[in-house]
Amino acid sequence: EHPEIQKEIYRKDDRLLALLKDVYVESRDPPVRVKDGGGEHLPCKLEEKRLTKLGHLQDLDVKKVSKGRISIVEALTLLNNHKLHPQIWTAEKIAVEYSLELKEVNSLLEFFIPFTVQEFPKETKKAI
């Protein structure tokens, strides 16, 4: 918008250029030292794991999961146990058994419902 400002910005200043040519910078990286294992260590966050409770389906799933998580087979198993015996497999018992938060177990039981497989007798298949 202001051509005089633009001209001043792009003007070559010989005095500043001469001063810049006199500047010499030398930079060296400090030598890299490898620490041996005896020094202080940074804290490492280790994730707590637990063995899965898989029963007869153990070949189908992982063997260890982080605390606060469940495997697919465990999820299906606990949902089925709750569906078949809700008075025994309460949300509190599931939370303790699988190291989960109670509110997460309540959400799981509310929003995930396992499928039921129904097999029709042979004589009714023709009618369908």
Side-chain angles (χ1 to χ4, degrees):
E1 296 176 19
H2 302 285
E4 61 278 354
I5 294 175
Q6 291 295 325
K7 223 184 251 187
E8 188 64 30
I9 289 174
Y10 292 110
R11 181 178 60 83
K12 187 175 179 180
D13 191 341
D14 292 325
R15 186 180 67 79
L16 289 177
L17 282 175
L19 290 173
L20 188 59
K21 287 180 184 178
D22 290 339
V23 174
Y24 176 73
V25 177
E26 186 176 315
S27 175
R28 292 190 197 130
D29 287 336
V32 178
R33 295 186 322 176
V34 178
K35 290 184 180 179
D36 61 354
E40 61 181 90
H41 296 285
L42 292 176
C44 181
K45 183 180 178 188
L46 294 175
E47 226 176 88
E48 229 179 303
K49 302 265 186 185
R50 66 170 180 80
L51 292 174
T52 53
K53 304 170 189 315
L54 301 175
H56 66 285
L57 298 172
Q58 63 187 355
D59 295 334
L60 301 176
D61 207 8
V62 296
K63 307 294 182 230
K64 288 184 179 181
V65 293
S66 302
K67 284 199 173 183
R69 300 189 187 280
I70 55 174
S71 69
I72 297 292
V73 173
E74 285 181 320
L76 293 174
T77 303
L78 75 86
L79 287 170
N80 192 44
N81 287 344
H82 178 72
K83 180 180 174 186
L84 296 175
H85 309 287
Q87 66 281 2
I88 297 171
W89 287 97
T90 62
E92 291 82 12
K93 180 176 179 179
I94 292 170
V96 170
E97 187 76 21
Y98 291 94
S99 303
L100 300 171
E101 295 288 329
L102 183 59
K103 67 177 188 147
E104 292 173 354
V105 173
N106 286 327
S107 296
L108 183 69
L109 296 176
E110 181 181 352
F111 296 112
F112 292 93
I113 302 166
F115 291 106
T116 16
V117 178
Q118 293 183 347
E119 207 173 307
F120 294 105
K122 291 185 179 185
E123 58 272 359
T124 59
K125 281 186 180 179
K126 292 179 183 176
I128 293 175

